[in-house]
Each structure stands twice: as C-alpha cells, then as structure tokens.
Amino acid sequence: MNIRKSYLLIIIFSFGFFIVSELISFYIDYQKSKNDIYQDDKTAITNLLNAQEENLRMLANIFSNDRAVIEAYEQNNPQIIIKHLEPIWEKMKKEKLVYEVHFFKPPAISFVNFSNFQSLGKDVSDARKDILWVTSSFQPSTHNLMCKTYAGIRATYPIIDDGKLLGGLSLGKKIDWLPKAIKKNTNRDSFLVYTRKSVETLDPKYYKLFMQNKTIVGDYIFANTTLKSLTPNVIKEIDFHKNIQYLKQNHHLYLLDKYPLLDFSHKTMAYLFVLNDIKPYYMSYIKSLSMNFILIFITALLIFFITKKALGELNQKLQESLDELNLAQKSAKMGSYLYNVETGHIDWSENHYTLFKLNKKNFTPSFENFLTFVHPQDRESVLEQIEYTILSKQHRAFEYRILLRDKTELYVRSTATLIEDPKKGKLLTGTIQDITEHKKLEIENQKKTELLSKQLYSDELTNLPNRRALVRDMQRYQNATLAIINIKSFKNINDVFGFDVGNYTLQTLAQKLLLNIQNFELLLYRIGSDEFALLNNSLSHKQFEEFVSNTIIQIEHEVFFYLPKEVEINISIYAGICLSTSNRLACADVALSEANKMHKDYVIYSSSENLIEEQEQKVKIINIIKTALQNNKILLFGQPIVDRDAQTHKYETLVRLEHDGKILSPFSFLEIAKKTKYYPLITRKVIHRALEVFKERKEQFSINLVAEDILNESTLAFIRKEILSFKDKERIIFEIVESEDIYQIDEVAEFIKEMQNLGIKIAIDDFGTGYSNFSYLMELQPDYLKIDGSLIKDIDTNENAKNIVTTIVTFAKELNCKTVAEYIHSKEIFEICKELGIDEFQGYYFSEPKPL
C-alpha cells in the first residue's frame, strides 16, 4: 500500500512538475515570440517606409535638378513645369508611385501643385513646416506629415541654381497603403488610427474628404477602410501607452502591436496597429501540453505494462505531431534546421528538403553541403551572419539567394538562434523561408523606378544622354568645357526626304560622333532636335578646339546612305564652344548662334563680345511683347497711300507696341516675335483691329502678312472667320511680304487665289529686295506690286535703281498689275516716280504713320 502511495505521489509530483514547467516554458517562449513578432513587424514596416522614402527621395532629386524646373522658377512661369512634367505626373499617378507633386516658392508659397492647380500663390506655411525648414536650411528632408490635404510620406527638396535658392519641391504618397502592404508582406491584419490633433492642419474642404470612411472616437480617428472587420469602438479598448497588449474582438483574442508614425516635428501623427491571432499559440500550447501529457501517460503505462502496443501508439502520436508541424511549415514555404556547431551534425525538417527540392534518402545535410546551395555572391555574407550569431548569442534574421540543382534561383529569409546545451554543446536552430515572390515584387518596383530615371535622362532616338543628363553632369564636372554641335538646314532633310531619313541621319551622326570620342574623355549628349553637346573634362582648350574643328571637317566629307530609299545625304555641322566654367550652356548656345549667323564652322564664346547681353536683351523684348499682349498694348497705326494727285484713298495698317508710355516700332520687336509663340497672336490682333476700324469707314486698307502666317493653320482659320463677317471685302488688301517661300510653297498660291475669289486684293510687298522672280510672279497674278523703299529712296541719284524700277513698272503693266512706290520722302522723288508711270505712292512726304 505504501509502495502504491509512493508511486501515486511520484506520479502526482511528476504531473505537477510537468504542468508547471510547461507553463513556465510556454510563458518564456510566448514572451520571446511576442517580442520577436513585434521586432519582425517593426523591421518590415521600417523597410516598407524606407523603400517608399527612397523612391520619393530619388524622384525629388531628379525633379529639383531638372533644367526646365529651374527655368520655370527663373521666369516665374509655372506653365513650363506643368507642360514639362504633366506626362510624367500622369504616369506616376496611374502607377500609384506618388500622390502629390508640389512646387513651392520661398518661404512656402504654392507655385505648382499637380494635385490642385487652383492653389497657385497660396501660403501653406502654417501646415508645411517642412517646406519652411527646407527653404531656410537648404537641406532635403524625408518624413511623415499631415498637411492641408492628406496624411502621407513626403520627400521635400530645395531647388537651387548656382547657389541661389529658387524654391522647394515636395513629393508625397498617402500612408493608406501601409495596412495592405503589411498584409502582403507578413500576412497579418493591421489598421490605422490618427490623432485628432494631427488633423488640425487640414483645410476644411479636404477635412471632409479625409474623414470619409473614418470615425472620431475621443482623441483619435479610426480609419474604417483599413480593416473592415473591426468597429471604431475598438479604440476605447486600446491602451495607447502600451506597445504590446491584448485585444478581444468578436469573442476572439488577439495580440495587438502598436507602432507610432511620427511627423516632421517628431510628434505622433498616427498609430499603425498590427493584429496577431494568439489562438494558434494557445492551441499549439494546449496541443503540446496534451501531447506531452499523453506521452507521460503512455510512458506511465509503459512502466506498468511495458507493451509494444503502447510504444506503437506513442510513435504514431509523435509522427502525427511532426506531420502537422511540417504541414504548417509547408503552407508558409518554411523549413527548419538544427545545427550542432561543435560536431557539425545538421538535422533538416521535411519542408527544408522540399524547399531545396532534395530527396531525403539521397542527400545527407551538412554545413558544407548547405553552402554549395548559397549563391556565390551571397556566400561570404551568410558566413558572417552565422559567425556573428554564434559570437554574439543574439537572434538574427537575414536574406540571401540560393541556387537549386535545377538552376532555379530563390530568395530566402533565414533566422538563427544559438542554444547552449550542457550535453550537446552549442546548437544553432532556426528557420528558412522562401520569399521569392515578395522579392520579385520589390525588384519590379525598383526596375520601374530605374526605367523612369532612364526616361528622364536618355534620348529615345539615339540612346544618348539627353539635356537633363547634361545639366546634371555639368554640376558634377564644374571645370569641364562645353561645345554644342548643330546640323545646318536639318529641316530641309525632313522636308525633302521624310522624317525616317531625318531620324536615320541623327542616329548615324550620333554613332560617328561616338566613334570620334572613344579615345578621349569626352561625354556626348543629344540636347535638341538636331543639336548635340560635347562635355570635355580632359583636353586642354587648344586640344578641344582642334578636336571640334577636325570633327566638323570629317563630317563634311562623310556620306550617309539610307538604304530603304537609296538616298545619299551629305550634311554640314557647325559648333559653338564655351571654354569658361560659368553659364556654359548659355554661352555655348550664344556662340552657336553667332557661328550660324557668321557662316563659320565654329565660334568660341568671348565675354568681350557682349553676346550674353544681346541674348538677355532679346529675352527682355519677349517679355515686353508678352506683357503688351496681356494688357492690350498692341496698337494699330495707319499710313496713307495716295494717288498721282496726292489724294488719299487707302491706308496701310501697321503694328505698334506701347511700353512704359513709349510707342515702339516693329523694327525693335517684330523679328524677335517671329521666333516665338507670340507672333501669331500679334498678327491676329492686327487683323481683328483693322477690320473693326475700317468697318465704319469707306477707304481701302491693307494688312501685312508673311508666308509663316499663311502656313499657320490657326492664323489661316482666324483670317477666314474674320473676313466672312466683313461686308465690303473688295476694300481689303492683303500685303504679302516678298520672300523665297511665297514663290515655292503651294499653300501661298492657293491662299492668294482663295482671297481673290472673295474679292480681296493681293499686293506683293517689298518687291525687288532680292527674291524677285518675274516668272513666278506671273503665276501668282497679284493686284499690286509695292516696290521696296531701298530702290525708291535714292532713285534721284542712283541710275541703277531707276533702271530696275523702270523694268518693274513695265513688267507690272504687262500683267495689268498696279504699282506702289514706298519711302517717298521728298517732292523730287515723288515727281520722278510719277514720270516712271507708278500708280500709287506712300511715305513720310505725305504723312508718317498715325494711330487709327
């Protein structure tokens, strides 16, 4: 009986000791697992935020150094940025790379906001302390922020040119994506909770939009859409002072991990809560406890009965437990291992063999065999991680690649923990998990970012670096000299042979220039339609000049043969060189213009020639034109045209511009205007004003046009529309300035015929200036020839001029075309012109141009 009592006491004590030890073991393991999960989730969240910040930081760096952006700031013209970056913005928005691209002017004035173009000029300093910091410190920043419109991650960069702060740029992405990303990366549910204080900066109209699908609970705002299985009242059950706590929802217990999201001022903007279902842990513990209890019970039975049946049942239960563990690991694509550091023996789980596509019967695991699967480029790193784990005795998690025997490459994540067993020695235990799909998504996002960067810095046609790349590299190579190369009359190649031949010419020239520079430390770029640039960081000034000169001569002797059309193309190039280290692009461009103007192979920029000042003067005039158009300062003047009796019966309408109370003649602005987008607007204003003025008068009147006006479809449509509403069309005369184009372009002849069919008269202006061709003139059949003033003004002393005018008058009479003499400045000139048979006259002798 005493023996039985002793056995009973031993059994009770053993069972009690077993329960207590299991509880302690469970508590220790569970506490460690809680911290491990918290740290793993924190690492995943940090990596996700860092990846997004890096993407935004790289894009912000690209945009803030973009030359078009800098020009927009310098010209105070946000339309330049909108036109330049809107296609990229649309693409980034479509692919959800960014939510906001916002440019500012100091200290925090909205300049261009692609999310809200109406915000131009608004001061957002009260909500954007990050912009104030960037524009005052000249330093970039990446951070979280709740601004006037949304909560998100931002990269804020200063925009600086030549040491001068122009403004700031902010790129942002909403943080609403974070719970989905956590779910995808860790398979755990999560939700966002904002602090009410953080939304005080929201603009009222955006506050309503922000609060959609969100609920205010006390001092917090619950984001309903991030995890729809929870109700807003869950906030009342949360202790915001704890990082790890329990949460009961729908009769289910969760482990709730809290991760604060700090804003630019290091204040908590929101919290990200991650839910971890603890039921599997408890079930695992209960199951383990049950299994161990059964094991002890079976062991007791073995002690009492020593039967093979009991041993068989025990082995069956153990196998079931292992199968379930393998099944759980298999679903997670995870295996486990146990490595004896001292003996070198390794045990792998079944899923470890499955992951490596190995047959357990034909493979014996060892540390050396394992290393043969590790990618050669990652092998050294894996050894360092394992060695560090053994020496530091700290838990480690690290990623690397493995190469299977069928050449499949997998990305895996391993954990390693050192256990010191008194009997077995140092044991390294851990898991290995296949993360290939997650890594592929990460690499795909990186490739998209790299592709966007390539598109920003590469020319699609020639694959050469583009203008943005040149601006970037000039900042990198401060002392490099620059040459810009242009193809003479490249437009003629496109017009005569077609754009495919033009593209081939550009590609072939790029290849030949690349061959030329391969033995030199020179960089080649395509920076415009037919413009290339050379950046020199190695040759002396003399050597660089010789290289450019030799390249021009070489290309002169090259023949470009386009096989599909069997066309031979010979081209000539010319260059502008800047040997100074300041304003290189502008100086080289000015030198290029001078080379073209002077018909030289190349020109080296010289500061003594004041070329930059000339260019700045042109820019000033362009701004004057723009202002005049905006403020209705384009004026209409008229100069009388008289008959042989000096009686006025018609007027030539002339354009003038008012600036600062002064009247500017077309000689000071019209030629410059022709090279801008403003010229067609000037033409249309003059046409509209002339028709308005003479609608109430009876005289004939003439309006000046050039070939470019006729070829401009918008201007031509405007002319047709305006003249249709004018009743007395026979009083209208269009003076077409003589040039080579009016004789060679079919559209001009068609326009003349169309107008004459409507009763409108046509005059050829400035006839006799060098383009005059009587045979072409016969085809055009104009109503008037206006003889150029250069032939009239000295006709009393210049016999050659008199003979030429006589010929013109004679020819005009044969065509039944009236003649008009311009520049009549004296009675003597008037009398001579009448003697020669000229029909009408115009000049200061009769009247100077006056406002109409």
Side-chain angles (χ1 to χ4, degrees):
M1 188 71 179
N2 291 332
I3 295 175
R4 290 182 179 180
K5 284 184 178 180
S6 298
Y7 278 126
L8 183 60
L9 288 173
I10 292 172
I11 291 172
I12 293 172
F13 177 81
S14 299
F15 182 79
F17 179 81
F18 162 74
I19 294 295
V20 172
S21 64
E22 285 293 322
L23 287 173
I24 293 172
S25 176
F26 169 76
Y27 177 79
I28 293 172
D29 290 343
Y30 181 63
Q31 292 299 322
K32 186 176 182 301
S33 296
K34 284 199 301 182
N35 291 325
D36 288 347
I37 291 170
Y38 184 86
Q39 292 300 325
D40 287 347
D41 286 348
K42 185 177 181 180
T43 300
I45 294 167
T46 301
N47 289 340
L48 287 168
L49 291 173
N50 287 344
Q52 288 299 327
E53 288 178 356
E54 185 59 30
N55 286 344
L56 294 175
R57 186 185 298 114
M58 189 198 72
L59 291 172
N61 186 39
I62 291 171
F63 289 161
S64 64
N65 288 286
D66 191 293
R67 195 61 208 171
V69 171
I70 291 173
E71 289 176 359
Y73 274 90
E74 291 175 343
Q75 298 181 23
N76 194 26
N77 185 355
Q79 290 301 320
I80 295 176
I81 294 178
I82 294 171
K83 182 178 180 182
H84 180 63
L85 293 183
E86 192 166 34
I88 298 173
W89 155 252
E90 292 295 339
K91 185 173 182 180
M92 291 191 301
K93 185 171 69 172
K94 181 179 179 182
E95 295 184 9
K96 297 183 177 179
L97 291 176
V98 297
Y99 176 78
E100 175 197 34
V101 178
H102 199 165
F103 291 86
F104 298 85
K105 297 186 74 175
I109 306 300
S110 180
F111 189 50
V112 175
N113 185 352
F114 280 92
S115 302
N116 180 14
F117 287 119
Q118 304 302 317
S119 68
L120 176 65
K122 289 186 178 179
D123 185 348
V124 295
S125 57
D126 57 331
R128 296 304 301 271
K129 305 300 182 186
D130 55 328
I131 285 294
L132 288 175
W133 184 84
V134 167
T135 55
S136 61
S137 68
F138 290 32
Q139 297 296 320
S141 172
T142 52
H143 50 271
N144 299 320
L145 188 69
M146 178 79 72
C147 68
K148 287 181 175 293
T149 57
Y150 72 101
I153 303 173
R154 286 182 173 75
T156 312
Y157 259 64
I159 298 174
I160 300 172
D161 185 41
D162 288 337
K164 179 183 177 182
L165 178 70
L166 301 178
L169 162 64
S170 176
L171 267 70
K173 182 173 182 177
K174 287 185 176 180
I175 63 170
D176 296 352
W177 57 271
L178 201 50
K180 290 184 180 179
I182 294 297
K183 180 71 174 179
K184 191 169 187 179
N185 283 273
T186 66
N187 200 31
R188 295 188 179 101
D189 291 321
S190 60
F191 61 94
L192 282 167
V193 175
Y194 298 91
T195 65
R196 285 188 68 179
K197 191 171 183 179
S198 69
V199 303
E200 291 176 355
T201 59
L202 286 173
D203 188 274
K205 65 177 181 179
Y206 289 106
Y207 175 83
K208 185 176 181 181
L209 180 65
F210 175 83
M211 289 301 299
Q212 289 182 358
N213 298 317
K214 295 180 179 69
T215 305
I216 297 175
V217 181
D219 294 330
Y220 301 95
I221 299 173
F222 178 79
N224 303 18
T225 57
T226 54
L227 189 59
K228 296 182 178 178
S229 61
L230 296 179
T231 63
N233 288 327
V234 70
I235 294 179
K236 296 179 179 178
E237 300 179 33
I238 296 174
D239 185 349
F240 282 81
H241 296 94
K242 294 182 179 180
N243 288 335
I244 304 175
Q245 58 191 289
Y246 294 101
L247 179 69
K248 190 172 183 181
Q249 285 289 306
N250 301 322
H251 307 291
H252 205 76
L253 191 62
Y254 294 93
L255 190 66
L256 184 67
D257 293 339
K258 181 196 75 175
Y259 301 91
L261 300 177
L262 304 182
D263 65 11
F264 178 76
S265 301
H266 299 289
K267 295 180 181 178
T268 301
M269 179 179 76
Y271 295 96
L272 177 68
F273 289 94
V274 181
L275 288 167
N276 293 284
D277 190 356
I278 64 172
K279 184 177 180 180
Y281 296 98
Y282 284 122
M283 293 301 296
S284 176
Y285 165 70
I286 293 170
K287 189 173 183 179
S288 175
L289 184 65
S290 300
M291 294 297 295
N292 289 335
F293 175 78
I294 292 171
L295 181 60
I296 290 176
F297 180 75
I298 292 172
T299 303
L301 289 177
L302 286 174
I303 293 172
F304 284 97
F305 301 108
I306 315 174
T307 62
K308 292 183 180 180
K309 182 178 180 181
L311 288 172
E313 290 177 355
L314 176 62
N315 289 332
Q316 182 180 355
K317 293 294 182 181
L318 287 171
Q319 187 59 49
E320 288 175 359
S321 180
L322 290 173
D323 289 343
E324 290 175 1
L325 176 61
N326 282 331
L327 181 62
Q329 290 184 344
K330 187 174 182 180
S331 63
K333 294 184 179 180
M334 179 186 290
S336 58
Y337 66 89
L338 182 66
Y339 169 48
N340 191 311
V341 178
E342 296 175 357
T343 66
H345 179 74
I346 295 182
D347 287 324
W348 282 3
S349 68
E350 290 290 340
N351 287 319
H352 203 308
Y353 286 98
T354 303
L355 182 63
F356 279 65
K357 295 184 179 179
L358 294 172
N359 189 326
K360 186 176 181 180
K361 296 179 180 179
N362 301 329
F363 181 81
T364 302
S366 68
F367 187 70
E368 290 73 17
N369 288 341
F370 162 72
L371 287 177
T372 62
F373 286 92
V374 179
H375 195 288
Q377 295 177 2
D378 298 343
R379 200 167 291 159
E380 183 177 350
S381 173
V382 171
L383 286 170
E384 289 176 355
Q385 294 286 351
I386 294 173
E387 183 179 355
Y388 182 83
T389 303
I390 295 171
L391 292 175
S392 67
K393 300 180 183 180
Q394 293 182 356
H395 173 78
R396 301 289 290 173
F398 48 96
E399 297 177 1
Y400 55 96
R401 293 167 292 173
I402 61 173
L403 285 173
L404 305 183
R405 289 181 173 176
D406 61 0
K407 304 302 180 184
T408 301
E409 181 178 291
L410 298 178
Y411 287 88
V412 297
R413 183 178 187 270
S414 283
T415 62
T417 303
L418 184 68
I419 301 173
E420 294 186 276
D421 188 288
K423 294 182 179 180
K424 296 182 180 180
K426 295 181 178 180
L427 301 176
L428 200 66
T429 181
T431 60
I432 182 169
Q433 183 179 14
D434 181 2
I435 59 169
T436 305
E437 293 302 320
H438 164 69
K439 208 68 180 178
K440 283 181 178 178
L441 180 62
E442 184 180 313
I443 292 171
E444 183 181 349
N445 288 337
Q446 184 179 354
K447 286 181 178 178
K448 287 181 178 179
T449 303
E450 290 173 353
L451 177 61
L452 182 61
S453 178
K454 182 180 179 182
Q455 291 172 341
L456 284 171
Y457 288 105
S458 180
D459 173 56
E460 185 176 357
L461 180 64
T462 62
N463 288 323
L464 292 175
N466 60 14
R467 191 182 190 92
R468 293 190 191 93
L470 172 61
V471 173
R472 177 198 63 197
D473 292 346
M474 284 196 300
Q475 293 177 345
R476 189 177 300 168
Y477 304 113
Q478 297 286 337
N479 296 320
T481 53
L482 179 68
I484 299 179
I485 297 172
N486 193 281
I487 302 174
K488 291 181 182 177
S489 304
F490 177 72
K491 181 177 181 296
N492 293 340
I493 296 175
N494 284 331
D495 292 343
V496 175
F497 300 110
F499 287 103
D500 54 339
V501 178
N503 289 342
Y504 168 78
T505 302
L506 292 170
Q507 291 168 333
T508 307
L509 178 58
Q511 292 169 5
K512 292 184 182 297
L513 292 176
L514 281 173
L515 286 174
N516 275 17
I517 69 171
Q518 63 182 356
N519 295 324
F520 303 92
E521 291 184 23
L522 300 175
L523 298 175
L524 178 65
Y525 309 80
R526 183 184 176 214
I527 62 173
S529 173
D530 57 347
E531 281 190 353
F532 296 82
L534 286 171
L535 194 62
N536 165 44
N537 200 34
S538 61
L539 301 178
S540 67
H541 290 180
K542 183 66 175 176
Q543 290 172 330
F544 188 43
E545 179 183 349
E546 290 177 355
F547 176 84
V548 173
S549 176
N550 292 336
T551 299
I552 292 171
I553 294 171
Q554 177 194 335
I555 298 300
E556 290 271 356
H557 294 88
E558 295 278 359
V559 176
F560 297 7
F561 184 75
Y562 185 60
L563 185 60
K565 289 186 177 180
E566 296 185 352
V567 173
E568 288 187 356
I569 305 109
N570 295 91
I571 66 169
S572 296
I573 60 176
Y574 60 99
I577 304 174
C578 177
L579 300 178
S580 68
T581 57
S582 61
N583 295 324
R584 288 170 287 180
L585 198 56
C587 294
D589 192 54
V590 169
L592 184 74
S593 298
E594 285 297 300
N596 183 40
K597 189 188 303 181
M598 299 166 65
H599 304 290
K600 288 186 176 183
D601 285 348
Y602 66 92
V603 165
I604 299 176
Y605 174 79
S606 171
S607 58
S608 63
E609 296 178 7
N610 296 322
L611 299 179
I612 288 289
E613 288 79 356
E614 291 180 14
Q615 193 174 56
E616 290 175 350
Q617 181 62 23
K618 290 179 181 178
V619 172
K620 182 179 178 181
I621 292 173
I622 291 171
N623 288 330
I624 289 173
I625 295 170
K626 177 183 175 183
T627 303
L629 285 166
Q630 292 172 342
N631 298 323
N632 200 26
K633 296 297 183 180
I634 301 297
L635 308 178
L636 186 72
F637 275 51
Q639 187 174 33
I641 300 174
V642 305
D643 58 17
R644 295 176 64 84
D645 296 325
Q647 297 299 311
T648 300
H649 60 93
K650 66 175 67 170
Y651 286 86
E652 178 182 1
T653 58
L654 301 167
V655 67
R656 294 292 187 269
L657 184 151
E658 183 182 344
H659 175 65
D660 288 343
K662 297 179 181 179
I663 304 299
L664 303 184
S665 73
F667 299 105
S668 62
F669 67 86
L670 202 57
E671 283 304 315
I672 295 174
K674 286 181 180 178
K675 299 174 183 178
T676 72
K677 64 181 179 181
Y678 303 121
Y679 179 74
L681 301 178
I682 294 173
T683 300
R684 293 170 205 169
K685 276 193 174 291
V686 170
I687 293 171
H688 177 76
R689 180 67 179 146
L691 293 174
E692 282 293 311
V693 168
F694 283 94
K695 180 170 64 176
E696 306 301 329
R697 300 176 63 155
K698 296 182 179 180
E699 301 98 335
Q700 284 186 300
F701 61 98
S702 62
I703 302 171
N704 286 286
L705 297 176
V706 294
E708 288 86 348
D709 295 322
I710 298 170
L711 295 176
N712 186 305
E713 293 183 2
S714 297
T715 300
L716 191 57
F718 180 83
I719 291 172
R720 288 171 175 151
K721 179 182 176 182
E722 288 289 311
I723 62 177
L724 281 177
S725 60
F726 195 84
K727 293 182 179 179
D728 302 327
K729 297 181 180 58
E730 66 278 359
R731 291 196 290 119
I732 302 174
I733 303 170
F734 280 128
E735 292 189 17
I736 303 175
V737 178
E738 189 191 30
S739 66
E740 189 176 3
D741 290 340
I742 71 167
Y743 300 123
Q744 297 183 357
I745 299 175
D746 293 339
E747 286 85 349
V748 176
E750 292 171 1
F751 173 79
I752 290 174
K753 188 176 293 184
E754 178 185 350
M755 294 299 107
Q756 288 177 329
N757 287 339
L758 292 173
I760 295 170
K761 302 294 188 294
I762 300 295
I764 304 299
D765 196 14
D766 295 341
F767 189 78
T769 56
Y771 301 102
S772 306
N773 188 309
F774 290 116
S775 60
Y776 284 132
L777 199 63
M778 293 173 64
E779 296 179 11
L780 295 180
Q781 291 290 315
D783 301 288
Y784 298 92
L785 284 183
K786 297 193 73 173
I787 304 170
D788 188 66
S790 62
L791 296 173
I792 299 298
K793 65 179 182 178
D794 298 325
I795 200 168
D796 55 339
T797 58
N798 190 327
E799 195 63 31
N800 287 333
K802 188 174 183 179
N803 292 334
I804 293 171
V805 171
T806 301
T807 302
I808 293 172
V809 172
T810 302
F811 180 76
K813 290 184 182 297
E814 292 294 326
L815 290 180
N816 197 26
C817 177
K818 290 187 176 183
T819 52
V820 181
E822 298 181 302
Y823 214 90
I824 303 295
H825 58 84
S826 67
K827 182 178 180 180
E828 290 75 18
I829 300 295
F830 180 37
E831 294 300 331
I832 292 172
C833 289
K834 285 200 294 184
E835 290 175 7
L836 294 177
I838 296 175
D839 301 296
E840 296 176 356
F841 313 88
Q842 179 180 353
Y844 274 56
Y845 175 66
F846 307 106
S847 174
E848 64 183 30
K850 295 180 180 179
L852 289 174

